[in-house]
Amino acid sequence: FVHWPPGEFASPDVPFRICVVGDDPFRGFLADAVVGRRFGTHAFEVLRLDALTADAGCQIAFIGQLPVQTTRQALAAVDGKPVLTVVDSATPDEQGIVQFVIRQGRVGFEINIAAAARNHLTISSKLLSLALKVNSR
């Protein structure tokens, strides 16, 4: 449902990196869920990081509670890079591309298509139709 730009991977065997930055709410579930799965020719790899940097090599970055940087600093580190940023809560100044939100006791998500475009990512209309809200700023 998300398309990365051509040339994102240096070779067909480079892993597709999902980075969990800061606190890990998944407690190993994410790594277990992707074992043996692939994104095209790319095996999934889950990395845990204390901070997000431009050279971390992440295709997806889930940003939790951060011990050494702010959410804004983490987002700025990969702004303009083909990284799908996901945050579990957002303020207007700290919006990732995908924000998890709780509405009426249920978890949903919002998508910021302007942030996706800045990061050279295309989000399918199918995924956009599932979002509670699509932001264009």
Side-chain angles (χ1 to χ4, degrees), residues 1-4 59-63 71 75 78-91 94-100 109-124 127-128 131 133-137:
F1 296 109
V2 178
H3 302 279
W4 277 260
Q59 279 72 45
I60 299 175
F62 175 86
I63 302 168
T71 300
L75 292 168
V78 295
D79 191 44
K81 305 248 183 248
V83 178
L84 179 70
T85 54
V86 181
V87 295
D88 61 358
S89 62
T91 65
E94 297 178 335
Q95 287 189 343
I97 295 169
V98 176
Q99 291 80 227
F100 287 117
F109 62 93
E110 298 178 356
I111 296 177
N112 184 319
I113 57 172
R118 278 194 312 275
N119 284 16
H120 314 286
L121 301 174
T122 305
I123 299 177
S124 76
L127 185 58
L128 293 174
K133 183 178 179 183
V134 176
N135 300 312
S136 59
R137 298 190 263 158

Side-chain angles (χ1 to χ4, degrees), residues 33-101:
V34 300
V35 167
R37 296 189 175 268
R38 302 180 88 65
F39 179 79
T41 62
H42 309 281
F44 286 103
E45 177 179 66
V46 177
L47 299 175
R48 285 170 185 75
L49 306 172
D50 289 331
L52 187 58
T53 62
D55 62 352
C58 307
Q59 279 72 45
I60 299 175
F62 175 86
I63 302 168
Q65 294 292 99
L66 299 168
V68 297
Q69 72 185 158
T70 66
T71 300
R72 182 182 292 174
Q73 290 169 328
L75 292 168
V78 295
D79 191 44
K81 305 248 183 248
V83 178
L84 179 70
T85 54
V86 181
V87 295
D88 61 358
S89 62
T91 65
D93 294 334
E94 297 178 335
Q95 287 189 343
I97 295 169
V98 176
Q99 291 80 227
F100 287 117
V101 295

